[in-house]
Amino acid sequence: MSNGRYGPFGGQYIPETLMQEIHALEDAYARYSDDTDFNAELETLLREYAGRPSLLYFAEKMTAVLGGARVYLKREDLNHTGSHKINNVLGQALLAKRMGKTRLIAETGAGQHGVATATAAALLGLECEIFMGREDTERQALNVYRMELLGAKVNPVDSGTKTLKDAVNETMREWVARTHDTHYLLGSVMGPHPFPRIVRDFQAVISREARAQVLQAEGKLPVAVMACVGGGSNAMGMFHHFVPDAGVRLIGCEAAGLGVDTHQNAATIANGSLGVFHGMKSYFCQDEQGQIAPVYSISAGLDYPGIGPEHAWLHDSGRAEYVPVTDEEAVAAFEFLARTEGIICAIESAHAVAHAQKIVPQLPENESVILCLSGRGDKDVAAIARSRGVQVHE
Amino acid sequence: MSKIANAFKNGKAFIGFLTGGDPSLAKTEEYIFEMIAGGADLIEIGVPFSDPIAEGSVIQRANLRALSAGTTLPKLFALVERVRQKSQIPLVFLTYLNPVFRYGYERFFQKCRSVGLDGVIIPDLPAEEQGEARIFAEKEGVDIISLIAPTSEERVRVIARNATGFLYVVSSMGVTGVRGEIQTDLASMLALARSVSELPAAIGFGIGTPEQARAMAGVADGAIVGSAIVRLIEQHGETAHEPLRRFVAEMKAAVLES
């Protein structure tokens, strides 16, 4: 079956109980992705509610400090709910509603996707339950309360490593038990087909806008676009419309935690191997026995042992590059961007900032690069303070 | 006809599941023989996995215990080989796809045949994706057992047509685990399956009492019990022999009464 494949990656490796539902989702998406009313409603929500288009901001001071290519920031952090997650969530929530669903369930790592889902549920009058690893509910306590404020029920997940992967497991278990009224609003370009495709399409608004914006500002395409990668949704969104532009490097920045040569990282392309998990064939951090490895990153949103199948294919086909960025580099970049541009970005996005600091000085001054700032960093301030030995109370 | 058909030869079948390596490989081996002594017709050995997405909390915990005890696929193949020297009971693995994929499909099914494992149940390998594994399974004469769910509806025709071994009928929505009641219209599901397949059909998920086993075997060719057995092992640890044999005997008797 070629459907839902990116080269050898992707597929639909899920329990039989979910197959009928996943096919219903495929059918609904095929129908509504070309539907004028659906798209008009989504566009209105993106514009009037989420605040799109997001800015493409020329980071003049950062450019001057780095002394190389001109740096543009795609400001997904300025979206309603503070991250790119809202792009996909509004699309899928509308789709779920068209399918007659009355309830949304979702996994969340850092809480950004959970907050976005709870927001869409509140707006569209849907019930909402979020699954979040116990460890993440503790390191992102404020987001838990945000979701509750928005009317969602947050279920802390105590199985396995108590982080994002376990939240996905638990959301799948919940979905297997209840599909008739419930849509699993998956938050990244991962999972069984058609999720990698749906999420990519809804996130592609990032590169659709950015490509036009940069052409307007520079009169030519950038030499590189970059984004952080966990499952890979903001990166797929940032890459998509640049994929046919052979001269534009696509760079995904993975969470290397304490280092790619330690056991404490989540760098799937650097350290992973081919496997089948969470409904897809892709690269995963795993042991020789095929047991999924516990992963680690300071960033709850990148703390995932796999990567979306389209990224695996972009990597293997040589179209995109994936680079590891450590916690320490990300924290330094978080502080750098705050002091240089007055922007407190998400620690996830700071992984891309860190890589820009490394490569931009080597790139010609008459060229440009775009960095996707996938989210804002308010949620991370307390954790960064702790990592610097400062105690703050939220 | 595969050896799995033998499980259904003596009237209605009782199929018991336990997680391999919980609490240890040695105990699993002893417990398999207790289940055989109790009257089990087929044994499913669960290959522990770090992220068993189709399992409820009881079997999730068993997976963790087995993995902490160092259980691996090669060690479970060795266990099957030892059991096979003393018993001809049909044996299958219940395993998530990734351990099989990492081991390599060709090597995996060759090993199944050489140790005497009759089939595999892979909960995250639906009909549409089975092709990549099935070519190797068929070559070695190992059955890939297909699952049919309450949501399968018309899919039952496609699934049952390609199925081998037996049909594993999932009683209700959700993950594994004992349930108070099972409300699915199983008779209709079974009728549809039987109209396209000659294979025996056994019902699993949620069965924990003799009454439920009797009712399920009444509409199908057998009943599958996992979580209730694993819970006994969890409660009794290294000394579950007697309770296990008694429970299986009771369940087998109920199945035969149906």
Side-chain angles (χ1 to χ4, degrees):
Chain A
M1 173 169 154
S2 63
N3 209 5
R5 293 279 174 175
Y6 304 89
F9 305 105
Q12 296 181 310
Y13 299 89
I14 48 168
E16 170 57 27
T17 308
L18 289 176
M19 285 305 286
Q20 192 82 285
E21 183 63 23
I22 212 90
H23 286 159
L25 180 62
E26 275 183 79
D27 293 345
Y29 185 63
R31 182 171 156 204
Y32 290 111
S33 57
D34 287 329
D35 181 271
T36 315
D37 288 347
F38 178 86
N39 285 312
E41 193 176 348
L42 178 57
E43 261 170 49
T44 304
L45 278 180
L46 287 174
R47 188 181 61 241
E48 307 290 326
Y49 187 69
R52 300 209 72 88
S54 71
L55 298 174
L56 186 74
Y57 164 72
F58 173 49
E60 194 173 356
K61 218 172 139 210
M62 181 171 168
T63 300
V65 171
L66 295 182
R70 296 156 65 80
V71 178
Y72 285 86
L73 304 177
K74 182 61 176 162
R75 299 291 307 274
E76 295 299 306
D77 59 316
L78 297 178
N79 296 340
H80 180 44
T81 74
S83 81
H84 72 294
K85 292 293 186 185
I86 195 78
N87 305 330
N88 165 52
V89 161
L90 288 173
Q92 277 196 56
L94 279 184
L95 185 61
K97 222 173 161 178
R98 290 286 205 283
M99 290 175 77
K101 305 295 181 186
T102 56
R103 178 170 175 261
L104 301 176
I105 55 173
E107 83 293 344
T108 196
Q112 295 301 90
H113 177 56
V115 167
T117 304
T119 298
L123 179 71
L124 299 175
L126 299 164
E127 250 184 277
C128 182
E129 279 192 47
I130 303 296
F131 295 82
M132 187 173 186
R134 174 79 67 184
E135 192 179 301
D136 293 336
T137 61
E138 283 156 14
R139 52 181 171 174
Q140 298 289 352
L142 212 51
N143 269 343
V144 174
Y145 192 68
R146 276 197 187 101
M147 290 182 264
E148 287 167 352
L149 265 180
L150 292 159
K153 181 175 175 219
V154 180
N155 301 294
V157 173
D158 281 314
S159 57
T161 51
K162 304 176 189 186
T163 59
L164 183 51
K165 135 187 112 80
D166 309 283
V168 174
N169 292 347
E170 218 47 47
T171 318
M172 284 203 178
R173 288 181 183 122
E174 173 65 20
W175 204 30
V176 171
R178 189 169 163 186
T179 53
H180 68 281
D181 65 348
T182 299
H183 176 67
Y184 179 2
L185 207 160
L186 224 157
S188 193
V189 285
M190 46 150 294
H193 174 71
F195 283 112
R197 169 75 195 281
I198 292 179
V199 179
R200 180 256 271 161
D201 288 354
F202 288 140
Q203 292 296 359
V205 64
I206 300 174
S207 49
R208 189 160 57 238
E209 290 172 3
R211 195 173 181 283
Q213 289 166 322
V214 76
L215 283 175
Q216 172 99 45
E218 291 284 312
K220 62 176 178 177
L221 292 170
V223 289
V225 299
M226 51 190 111
C228 62
V229 180
S233 71
N234 93 89
M236 252 349 287
M238 188 70 239
F239 292 175
H240 184 67
H241 289 282
F242 290 105
V243 169
D245 301 320
V248 181
R249 288 166 66 190
L250 312 175
I251 307 172
C253 306
E254 299 194 296
L258 303 185
V260 282
D261 47 358
T262 71
H263 288 292
Q264 303 275 298
N265 69 76
T268 310
I269 293 288
N271 282 343
S273 50
L274 190 60
V276 183
F277 182 53
H278 280 165
M280 59 183 169
K281 190 176 283 177
S282 190
Y283 289 111
F284 296 97
C285 296
Q286 57 181 322
D287 70 11
E288 295 138 32
Q289 298 294 326
Q291 305 294 342
I292 303 304
V295 289
Y296 163 79
S297 164
I298 188 171
S299 144
L302 304 182
D303 201 352
Y304 181 70
I307 188 165
E310 193 170 1
H311 282 297
W313 179 233
L314 286 172
H315 172 262
D316 274 24
S317 64
R319 179 64 190 94
E321 330 159 30
Y322 295 84
V323 295
V325 175
T326 63
D327 280 5
E328 205 180 310
E329 292 168 329
V331 171
F334 177 92
E335 293 168 343
F336 167 81
L337 193 69
R339 287 181 192 165
T340 312
E341 290 290 345
I343 296 171
I344 296 175
C345 72
I347 188 65
E348 287 79 12
S349 321
H351 286 70
V353 176
H355 190 65
Q357 289 180 278
K358 290 183 210 169
I359 68 163
V360 165
Q362 271 82 57
L363 297 171
E365 286 178 19
N366 58 348
E367 299 291 352
S368 70
V369 299
I370 305 177
L371 264 178
C372 187
L373 278 199
S374 56
R376 68 176 181 227
D378 314 44
K379 67 183 178 57
D380 298 310
V381 170
I384 301 289
R386 276 196 298 277
S387 83
R388 290 295 191 218
V390 180
Q391 286 307 317
V392 289
H393 298 283
E394 288 182 326
Chain B
M1 207 38 129
S2 70
K3 203 160 83 203
I4 285 175
N6 293 340
F8 299 88
K9 262 187 184 163
N10 311 311
K12 306 279 173 144
F14 177 78
I15 297 172
F17 167 95
L18 78 186
T19 300
D22 169 35
S24 66
L25 282 163
K27 289 296 152 187
T28 299
E29 189 172 344
E30 292 170 24
Y31 292 164
I32 287 172
F33 286 103
E34 293 298 339
M35 287 164 69
I36 295 171
D41 298 292
L42 185 154
I43 309 269
E44 277 180 29
I45 302 166
V47 176
F49 184 52
S50 52
D51 297 85
I53 57 152
E55 312 300 342
S57 56
V58 171
I59 297 179
Q60 283 179 43
R61 289 197 298 272
N63 275 266
L64 276 182
R65 288 193 297 271
L67 287 175
S68 316
T71 311
T72 61
L73 192 51
K75 289 178 185 173
L76 289 173
F77 275 130
L79 167 76
V80 170
E81 205 163 21
R82 290 195 297 275
V83 174
R84 214 13 115 227
Q85 283 161 11
K86 297 183 240 167
S87 168
Q88 285 311 304
I89 188 167
L91 293 170
V92 305
F93 275 164
L94 185 142
T95 177
Y96 287 83
L97 184 58
N98 202 45
V100 178
F101 183 80
R102 290 302 297 167
Y103 196 85
Y105 291 136
E106 185 167 20
R107 186 170 155 236
F108 176 84
F109 288 106
Q110 282 169 354
K111 191 74 181 170
C112 289
R113 184 182 48 78
S114 77
V115 300
L117 190 84
D118 304 294
V120 289
I121 302 166
I122 308 177
D124 53 352
L125 189 65
E128 283 83 342
E129 301 288 1
Q130 279 174 12
E132 61 191 55
R134 208 172 259 285
I135 47 168
F136 298 105
E138 278 169 7
K139 199 170 141 211
E140 304 298 333
V142 178
D143 291 328
I144 293 181
I145 290 146
S146 295
L147 292 97
I148 291 173
T151 47
S152 296
E153 298 173 20
E154 284 305 305
R155 293 174 48 77
V156 167
R157 291 178 197 281
V158 184
I159 297 166
R161 208 176 295 137
N162 299 319
T164 48
F166 72 94
L167 294 173
Y168 189 128
V169 178
V170 176
S171 74
S172 35
M173 300 293 287
V175 294
T176 57
V178 172
R179 320 206 191 314
E181 55 180 329
I182 294 166
Q183 293 174 323
T184 309
D185 181 4
L186 290 162
S188 310
M189 273 173 80
L190 266 293
L192 186 54
R194 282 177 171 145
S195 71
V196 285
S197 172
E198 306 266 289
L199 291 178
I203 302 179
F205 278 49
I207 305 172
T209 65
E211 292 70 31
Q212 287 173 321
R214 191 180 301 123
M216 293 299 122
V219 286
D221 303 302
I224 308 166
V225 173
S227 296
I229 288 172
V230 172
R231 197 162 54 192
L232 274 179
I233 294 172
E234 180 170 59
Q235 281 164 1
H236 296 276
E238 308 245 307
T239 56
H241 307 74
E242 184 63 33
L244 207 50
R245 188 169 67 240
R246 232 182 306 123
F247 178 73
V248 170
E250 202 183 346
M251 297 297 271
K252 173 67 184 175
V255 162
L256 286 177
E257 281 165 24
S258 69

